[in-house]
Short mmCIF file of all heavy atoms in Angstrom, two decimals:
data_model
loop_
_atom_site.label_atom_id
_atom_site.label_comp_id
_atom_site.label_asym_id
_atom_site.label_seq_id
_atom_site.Cartn_x
_atom_site.Cartn_y
_atom_site.Cartn_z
N ARG R 1 -102.89 -114.28 31.22
CA ARG R 1 -104.24 -113.97 31.56
C ARG R 1 -104.98 -113.41 30.36
O ARG R 1 -104.53 -112.47 29.76
CB ARG R 1 -104.34 -112.96 32.65
CG ARG R 1 -105.70 -112.68 33.13
CD ARG R 1 -105.66 -111.81 34.37
NE ARG R 1 -107.09 -111.55 34.81
CZ ARG R 1 -107.66 -110.40 34.77
NH1 ARG R 1 -106.97 -109.33 34.28
NH2 ARG R 1 -108.92 -110.21 35.10
N GLY R 2 -105.94 -114.20 29.86
CA GLY R 2 -106.71 -113.77 28.63
C GLY R 2 -106.65 -114.87 27.62
O GLY R 2 -106.71 -116.06 27.93
N GLU R 3 -106.63 -114.47 26.36
CA GLU R 3 -106.68 -115.34 25.24
C GLU R 3 -105.37 -115.47 24.51
O GLU R 3 -104.61 -114.47 24.22
CB GLU R 3 -107.74 -114.81 24.17
CG GLU R 3 -109.09 -114.73 24.81
CD GLU R 3 -110.16 -114.20 23.87
OE1 GLU R 3 -109.76 -113.96 22.65
OE2 GLU R 3 -111.24 -114.24 24.28
N ILE R 4 -104.97 -116.67 24.23
CA ILE R 4 -103.59 -116.97 23.58
C ILE R 4 -104.02 -117.47 22.14
O ILE R 4 -104.56 -118.53 21.95
CB ILE R 4 -102.76 -117.96 24.25
CG1 ILE R 4 -102.44 -117.56 25.64
CG2 ILE R 4 -101.51 -118.17 23.48
CD1 ILE R 4 -101.77 -118.58 26.53
N ASP R 5 -103.86 -116.56 21.16
CA ASP R 5 -104.19 -116.89 19.84
C ASP R 5 -103.20 -116.31 18.85
O ASP R 5 -102.16 -115.69 19.27
CB ASP R 5 -105.66 -116.49 19.51
CG ASP R 5 -105.95 -114.98 19.64
OD1 ASP R 5 -104.88 -114.19 19.59
OD2 ASP R 5 -107.04 -114.54 19.77
N LEU R 6 -103.51 -116.21 17.60
CA LEU R 6 -102.51 -115.72 16.58
C LEU R 6 -102.18 -114.23 16.83
O LEU R 6 -101.04 -113.86 16.62
CB LEU R 6 -103.19 -115.80 15.17
CG LEU R 6 -102.32 -115.47 14.03
CD1 LEU R 6 -101.01 -116.35 14.00
CD2 LEU R 6 -103.06 -115.53 12.70
N THR R 7 -103.15 -113.47 17.38
CA THR R 7 -102.81 -112.08 17.53
C THR R 7 -102.04 -111.81 18.96
O THR R 7 -101.40 -110.71 19.07
CB THR R 7 -104.09 -111.15 17.54
OG1 THR R 7 -105.03 -111.61 18.54
CG2 THR R 7 -104.80 -111.28 16.15
N THR R 8 -102.17 -112.68 19.80
CA THR R 8 -101.50 -112.47 21.22
C THR R 8 -100.33 -113.40 21.43
O THR R 8 -99.62 -113.16 22.47
CB THR R 8 -102.54 -112.60 22.24
OG1 THR R 8 -103.09 -113.96 22.27
CG2 THR R 8 -103.69 -111.48 22.04
N ALA R 9 -100.15 -114.52 20.71
CA ALA R 9 -99.18 -115.52 21.06
C ALA R 9 -97.74 -114.75 21.14
O ALA R 9 -96.85 -115.18 21.79
CB ALA R 9 -99.10 -116.59 19.97
N GLY R 10 -97.46 -113.71 20.38
CA GLY R 10 -96.28 -113.00 20.31
C GLY R 10 -95.87 -112.46 21.69
O GLY R 10 -94.71 -112.37 22.09
N ILE R 11 -96.89 -111.98 22.30
CA ILE R 11 -96.67 -111.46 23.75
C ILE R 11 -96.19 -112.49 24.65
O ILE R 11 -95.22 -112.32 25.38
CB ILE R 11 -98.01 -110.89 24.20
CG1 ILE R 11 -98.46 -109.64 23.37
CG2 ILE R 11 -97.83 -110.43 25.74
CD1 ILE R 11 -99.91 -109.29 23.63
N LEU R 12 -96.81 -113.70 24.60
CA LEU R 12 -96.32 -114.85 25.40
C LEU R 12 -94.91 -115.32 25.06
O LEU R 12 -94.17 -115.60 25.87
CB LEU R 12 -97.39 -115.97 25.30
CG LEU R 12 -97.04 -117.15 26.20
CD1 LEU R 12 -97.05 -116.88 27.66
CD2 LEU R 12 -98.10 -118.29 25.98
N TRP R 13 -94.75 -115.45 23.73
CA TRP R 13 -93.39 -115.79 23.23
C TRP R 13 -92.28 -114.84 23.77
O TRP R 13 -91.34 -115.36 24.25
CB TRP R 13 -93.42 -115.77 21.75
CG TRP R 13 -91.99 -116.09 21.11
CD1 TRP R 13 -91.09 -115.22 20.89
CD2 TRP R 13 -91.47 -117.38 20.88
NE1 TRP R 13 -89.96 -115.74 20.43
CE2 TRP R 13 -90.11 -117.15 20.32
CE3 TRP R 13 -91.98 -118.60 20.96
CZ2 TRP R 13 -89.36 -118.11 20.04
CZ3 TRP R 13 -91.06 -119.72 20.59
CH2 TRP R 13 -89.85 -119.45 20.12
N ASP R 14 -92.53 -113.52 23.60
CA ASP R 14 -91.47 -112.61 24.03
C ASP R 14 -91.27 -112.76 25.53
O ASP R 14 -90.09 -112.67 25.97
CB ASP R 14 -91.97 -111.13 23.75
CG ASP R 14 -91.94 -110.89 22.22
OD1 ASP R 14 -91.35 -111.61 21.49
OD2 ASP R 14 -92.59 -109.86 21.83
N THR R 15 -92.23 -112.93 26.31
CA THR R 15 -92.11 -113.02 27.86
C THR R 15 -91.37 -114.27 28.17
O THR R 15 -90.31 -114.27 28.85
CB THR R 15 -93.40 -112.96 28.50
OG1 THR R 15 -94.21 -111.84 28.14
CG2 THR R 15 -93.30 -113.07 30.01
N LEU R 16 -91.80 -115.41 27.47
CA LEU R 16 -91.17 -116.77 27.83
C LEU R 16 -89.68 -116.71 27.38
O LEU R 16 -88.82 -117.30 28.01
CB LEU R 16 -91.84 -117.78 27.20
CG LEU R 16 -93.29 -118.17 27.77
CD1 LEU R 16 -94.12 -119.17 27.03
CD2 LEU R 16 -93.00 -118.64 29.24
N ASP R 17 -89.44 -116.05 26.15
CA ASP R 17 -88.07 -116.00 25.67
C ASP R 17 -87.25 -115.25 26.66
O ASP R 17 -86.07 -115.67 26.87
CB ASP R 17 -88.07 -115.31 24.26
CG ASP R 17 -86.67 -115.42 23.66
OD1 ASP R 17 -86.19 -116.69 23.59
OD2 ASP R 17 -86.22 -114.30 23.25
N ARG R 18 -87.66 -114.12 27.20
CA ARG R 18 -86.82 -113.29 28.11
C ARG R 18 -86.61 -114.17 29.49
O ARG R 18 -85.54 -114.17 29.98
CB ARG R 18 -87.49 -112.09 28.54
CG ARG R 18 -87.33 -111.02 27.48
CD ARG R 18 -87.80 -109.68 27.99
NE ARG R 18 -89.23 -109.55 28.47
CZ ARG R 18 -90.30 -109.29 27.81
NH1 ARG R 18 -90.13 -108.92 26.59
NH2 ARG R 18 -91.48 -109.21 28.41
N VAL R 19 -87.56 -114.98 29.82
CA VAL R 19 -87.49 -115.77 31.09
C VAL R 19 -86.36 -116.84 30.86
O VAL R 19 -85.52 -117.00 31.69
CB VAL R 19 -88.77 -116.41 31.44
CG1 VAL R 19 -88.61 -117.50 32.53
CG2 VAL R 19 -89.73 -115.42 31.94
N ILE R 20 -86.46 -117.55 29.79
CA ILE R 20 -85.50 -118.65 29.55
C ILE R 20 -84.12 -118.11 29.30
O ILE R 20 -83.01 -118.90 29.40
CB ILE R 20 -85.91 -119.66 28.39
CG1 ILE R 20 -86.04 -118.97 27.04
CG2 ILE R 20 -87.18 -120.33 28.85
CD1 ILE R 20 -86.21 -119.91 25.97
N GLN R 21 -83.90 -116.90 28.91
CA GLN R 21 -82.58 -116.28 28.72
C GLN R 21 -81.86 -115.97 30.06
O GLN R 21 -80.71 -115.67 30.10
CB GLN R 21 -82.70 -115.01 27.92
CG GLN R 21 -83.18 -115.12 26.50
CD GLN R 21 -82.38 -116.22 25.74
OE1 GLN R 21 -81.10 -116.30 25.87
NE2 GLN R 21 -83.02 -117.00 24.83
N GLN R 22 -82.69 -115.98 31.17
CA GLN R 22 -82.11 -115.77 32.51
C GLN R 22 -81.15 -116.92 32.90
O GLN R 22 -81.45 -118.09 32.49
CB GLN R 22 -83.17 -115.60 33.59
CG GLN R 22 -84.15 -114.49 33.30
CD GLN R 22 -83.46 -113.09 33.30
OE1 GLN R 22 -82.64 -112.81 34.14
NE2 GLN R 22 -83.83 -112.33 32.24
N VAL R 23 -80.17 -116.60 33.58
CA VAL R 23 -79.21 -117.56 34.02
C VAL R 23 -79.77 -118.43 35.08
O VAL R 23 -80.41 -118.03 36.07
CB VAL R 23 -78.00 -116.95 34.49
CG1 VAL R 23 -76.92 -118.05 35.00
CG2 VAL R 23 -77.24 -116.14 33.33
N ALA R 24 -79.69 -119.79 35.05
CA ALA R 24 -80.00 -120.73 36.01
C ALA R 24 -81.44 -120.70 36.55
O ALA R 24 -81.58 -120.68 37.85
CB ALA R 24 -78.94 -120.58 37.27
N ILE R 25 -82.34 -120.83 35.71
CA ILE R 25 -83.73 -120.93 36.15
C ILE R 25 -84.02 -122.39 36.03
O ILE R 25 -84.19 -123.00 34.86
CB ILE R 25 -84.71 -120.16 35.33
CG1 ILE R 25 -84.51 -118.67 35.64
CG2 ILE R 25 -86.12 -120.44 35.69
CD1 ILE R 25 -85.34 -117.75 34.90
N PRO R 26 -84.09 -123.29 37.05
CA PRO R 26 -84.20 -124.63 36.98
C PRO R 26 -85.64 -125.07 36.56
O PRO R 26 -85.79 -126.16 35.93
CB PRO R 26 -83.89 -125.23 38.44
CG PRO R 26 -84.08 -123.99 39.26
CD PRO R 26 -83.86 -122.82 38.49
N LYS R 27 -86.63 -124.28 36.79
CA LYS R 27 -87.96 -124.68 36.55
C LYS R 27 -88.74 -123.46 36.08
O LYS R 27 -88.74 -122.44 36.79
CB LYS R 27 -88.68 -125.31 37.65
CG LYS R 27 -90.14 -125.81 37.44
CD LYS R 27 -90.75 -126.36 38.68
CE LYS R 27 -92.17 -126.64 38.59
NZ LYS R 27 -92.78 -127.00 39.85
N ILE R 28 -89.49 -123.68 35.00
CA ILE R 28 -90.42 -122.59 34.52
C ILE R 28 -91.79 -123.18 34.54
O ILE R 28 -92.12 -124.22 33.91
CB ILE R 28 -90.19 -122.13 33.04
CG1 ILE R 28 -88.75 -121.55 33.04
CG2 ILE R 28 -91.16 -121.18 32.54
CD1 ILE R 28 -88.31 -121.23 31.47
N GLU R 29 -92.67 -122.60 35.42
CA GLU R 29 -93.98 -123.00 35.49
C GLU R 29 -94.95 -122.13 34.74
O GLU R 29 -94.86 -120.83 34.96
CB GLU R 29 -94.43 -123.11 36.98
CG GLU R 29 -95.94 -123.40 37.14
CD GLU R 29 -96.36 -123.29 38.57
OE1 GLU R 29 -95.53 -123.46 39.51
OE2 GLU R 29 -97.58 -122.97 38.85
N ILE R 30 -95.83 -122.61 33.87
CA ILE R 30 -96.74 -121.81 33.23
C ILE R 30 -98.10 -122.07 33.86
O ILE R 30 -98.67 -123.06 33.72
CB ILE R 30 -96.89 -121.92 31.75
CG1 ILE R 30 -95.53 -122.12 31.12
CG2 ILE R 30 -97.82 -121.04 31.07
CD1 ILE R 30 -94.82 -120.85 31.09
N ASP R 31 -98.63 -121.10 34.62
CA ASP R 31 -99.86 -121.16 35.37
C ASP R 31 -100.97 -120.71 34.37
O ASP R 31 -101.17 -119.60 34.11
CB ASP R 31 -99.96 -120.42 36.58
CG ASP R 31 -101.12 -120.45 37.48
OD1 ASP R 31 -102.25 -120.92 36.88
OD2 ASP R 31 -101.19 -120.03 38.60
N MET R 32 -101.75 -121.64 33.85
CA MET R 32 -102.68 -121.37 32.77
C MET R 32 -104.02 -121.14 33.31
O MET R 32 -105.10 -120.98 32.63
CB MET R 32 -102.81 -122.70 31.84
CG MET R 32 -101.51 -123.03 31.14
SD MET R 32 -100.93 -121.78 29.99
CE MET R 32 -102.02 -122.25 28.58
N GLY R 33 -104.17 -121.00 34.61
CA GLY R 33 -105.50 -120.80 35.33
C GLY R 33 -106.36 -119.63 34.76
O GLY R 33 -107.59 -119.73 34.92
N ASP R 34 -105.79 -118.55 34.26
CA ASP R 34 -106.49 -117.46 33.91
C ASP R 34 -106.59 -117.24 32.34
O ASP R 34 -106.89 -116.29 31.77
CB ASP R 34 -105.94 -116.08 34.40
CG ASP R 34 -106.16 -116.04 35.88
OD1 ASP R 34 -107.19 -116.49 36.37
OD2 ASP R 34 -105.35 -115.56 36.57
N VAL R 35 -106.22 -118.52 31.69
CA VAL R 35 -106.34 -118.46 30.19
C VAL R 35 -107.74 -118.87 29.80
O VAL R 35 -108.19 -119.88 30.15
CB VAL R 35 -105.34 -119.39 29.55
CG1 VAL R 35 -105.50 -119.53 28.02
CG2 VAL R 35 -103.91 -118.95 29.81
N SER R 36 -108.41 -117.94 29.06
CA SER R 36 -109.81 -118.28 28.70
C SER R 36 -109.98 -118.88 27.35
O SER R 36 -110.96 -119.47 27.06
CB SER R 36 -110.61 -116.99 28.78
OG SER R 36 -110.01 -115.99 27.88
N PHE R 37 -108.92 -118.80 26.55
CA PHE R 37 -109.04 -119.42 25.20
C PHE R 37 -107.53 -119.64 24.77
O PHE R 37 -106.70 -118.86 25.04
CB PHE R 37 -109.61 -118.42 24.19
CG PHE R 37 -109.66 -118.92 22.79
CD1 PHE R 37 -110.56 -119.93 22.30
CD2 PHE R 37 -108.74 -118.50 21.91
CE1 PHE R 37 -110.49 -120.41 21.08
CE2 PHE R 37 -108.70 -118.89 20.59
CZ PHE R 37 -109.57 -119.94 20.19
N MET R 38 -107.36 -120.64 24.00
CA MET R 38 -105.98 -120.96 23.35
C MET R 38 -106.19 -121.68 22.08
O MET R 38 -107.06 -122.67 22.10
CB MET R 38 -105.02 -121.64 24.20
CG MET R 38 -103.61 -121.78 23.68
SD MET R 38 -102.30 -122.32 24.73
CE MET R 38 -102.46 -124.07 24.49
N ASP R 39 -105.63 -121.24 20.99
CA ASP R 39 -105.66 -122.01 19.73
C ASP R 39 -104.24 -122.44 19.41
O ASP R 39 -103.34 -122.47 20.27
CB ASP R 39 -106.26 -121.15 18.63
CG ASP R 39 -105.39 -119.93 18.19
OD1 ASP R 39 -104.15 -119.85 18.63
OD2 ASP R 39 -105.79 -119.15 17.33
N CYS R 40 -103.99 -122.98 18.18
CA CYS R 40 -102.88 -123.69 17.87
C CYS R 40 -101.58 -122.66 17.83
O CYS R 40 -100.49 -123.15 18.01
CB CYS R 40 -102.91 -124.28 16.43
SG CYS R 40 -104.03 -125.77 16.42
N ALA R 41 -101.94 -121.33 17.74
CA ALA R 41 -100.69 -120.41 17.87
C ALA R 41 -100.16 -120.47 19.24
O ALA R 41 -98.95 -120.30 19.43
CB ALA R 41 -101.31 -118.91 17.52
N GLY R 42 -100.95 -120.78 20.25
CA GLY R 42 -100.37 -120.92 21.65
C GLY R 42 -99.61 -122.13 21.69
O GLY R 42 -98.57 -122.14 22.26
#
C-alpha cells in the first residue's frame, strides 16, 4: 500500500523474501490494488 520506488522497494523485497522462504507456499499473490505509484525499482 503506497508507493514502490527506489526508497521503498527494499521494504517490499524484505517482505517478499520472507514469504518465499516459508515452506510449501504454492502461490504468492501480490494484490497491487493499493499501489499509487511504482517505478523501475519495483
Side-chain angles (χ1 to χ4, degrees):
R1 182 173 182 248
E3 300 179 0
I4 304 171
D5 60 16
L6 186 60
T7 61
T8 62
I11 297 167
L12 181 60
W13 174 272
D14 291 343
T15 303
L16 290 172
D17 189 50
R18 284 192 304 264
V19 169
I20 62 172
Q21 297 302 324
Q22 301 297 316
V23 178
I25 295 180
K27 178 182 173 186
I28 299 172
E29 173 188 333
I30 312 296
D31 182 342
M32 302 291 282
D34 289 326
V35 173
S36 57
F37 175 82
M38 186 171 88
D39 66 10
C40 290

